[in-house]
Amino acid sequence: MPLTPGTRLGVYDITSQIGAGGMGEVYRATDTNLKRQVAIKVLPASVAADADRLARFQREAEVLAALNHPSIAAIYGLEKTPDFTALVMELVEGEDLSQRIARGAIPIDEALPIAKQIAEALEAAHEQGIIHRDLKPANVKVRPGGTVKVLDFGLAKAMDQGSGIRDQGGAASPSTNAPTSGHLVSCSTRCSRVSGRSVATTSPRRSPT
């Protein structure tokens, strides 16, 4: 059952629901201690009873906590109550990349900085041994000033080396990555050089084999 405005979760007052998906519902909330707006991803108790999904949710908190990069949404904490488990994250304003794409073709002078920031965020994650595994336009926020934030590492899986965070079930193997994610993973360093070809890797189409 969705949380209603005014619901209190720890020190957080729920303001409104801003999204929902297979891994939980996302709300805008107010941190009453620090007087700031945050995003809260709540895993309902009915879903939290599933050990695999709960492990994936816990892993998201661990993955985000291991990352510190200006183009990756930050984690503020993990809240647990008898009824809910919730991930408290940076609230990123602006439209996501899928909404921007729906408005029409992105000019090259706008697309290049977006591609570069996405690549740099992924590269930072890879240096920590982390693969996003669910990279798609809907998981990339573009702020009005052009700053990019990569969201939702809920399907992330750590590599064998690096962070020490291990996959505990529920995530697909690397060969089943979405085409966009797999292609960007393979070109993260090259994308930092911002070639015209690298912009094409943001397309959801499968790359040629």
Side-chain angles (χ1 to χ4, degrees), residues 36-187:
R36 63 181 174 182
Q37 296 297 297
V38 299
I40 294 184
K41 178 182 283 189
V42 175
L43 197 63
S46 58
V47 178
D50 184 321
D52 284 344
R53 300 188 77 179
L54 187 58
R56 287 169 62 186
F57 197 74
Q58 176 72 31
R59 184 169 63 251
E60 179 172 1
E62 295 172 357
V63 166
L64 288 175
L67 300 177
N68 182 15
H69 190 273
S71 292
I72 296 175
I75 179 175
Y76 296 147
L78 187 64
E79 290 286 327
K80 293 184 178 181
T81 73
D83 299 316
F84 298 101
T85 300
L87 188 63
V88 184
M89 301 175 290
E90 175 185 4
L91 178 65
V92 183
E93 304 286 1
E95 62 184 359
D96 65 47
L97 191 54
S98 67
Q99 295 169 320
R100 175 61 189 88
I101 291 171
R103 292 199 283 110
I106 303 177
I108 191 71
D109 60 346
E110 182 183 345
L112 288 175
I114 291 174
K116 182 176 185 292
Q117 290 177 78
I118 294 171
E120 289 173 344
L122 294 177
E123 187 170 47
H126 297 168
E127 289 174 353
Q128 294 292 323
I130 296 163
I131 301 174
H132 189 291
R133 296 184 62 81
D134 193 30
L135 184 66
K136 57 189 176 184
N139 281 340
V140 177
K141 281 271 195 174
V142 183
R143 285 175 163 169
T147 302
V148 164
K149 289 280 187 178
V150 179
L151 312 176
D152 200 354
F153 277 75
L155 297 180
K157 177 181 178 181
M159 299 177 190
D160 289 339
Q161 303 297 323
S163 67
I165 301 169
R166 300 286 181 167
D167 178 44
Q168 299 178 8
S173 65
S175 62
T176 62
N177 277 359
T180 307
S181 175
H183 198 54
L184 275 174
V185 163
S186 66
C187 78

Side-chain angles (χ1 to χ4, degrees), residues 10 132 146 158 199 203:
H132 189 291
V199 176
S203 166

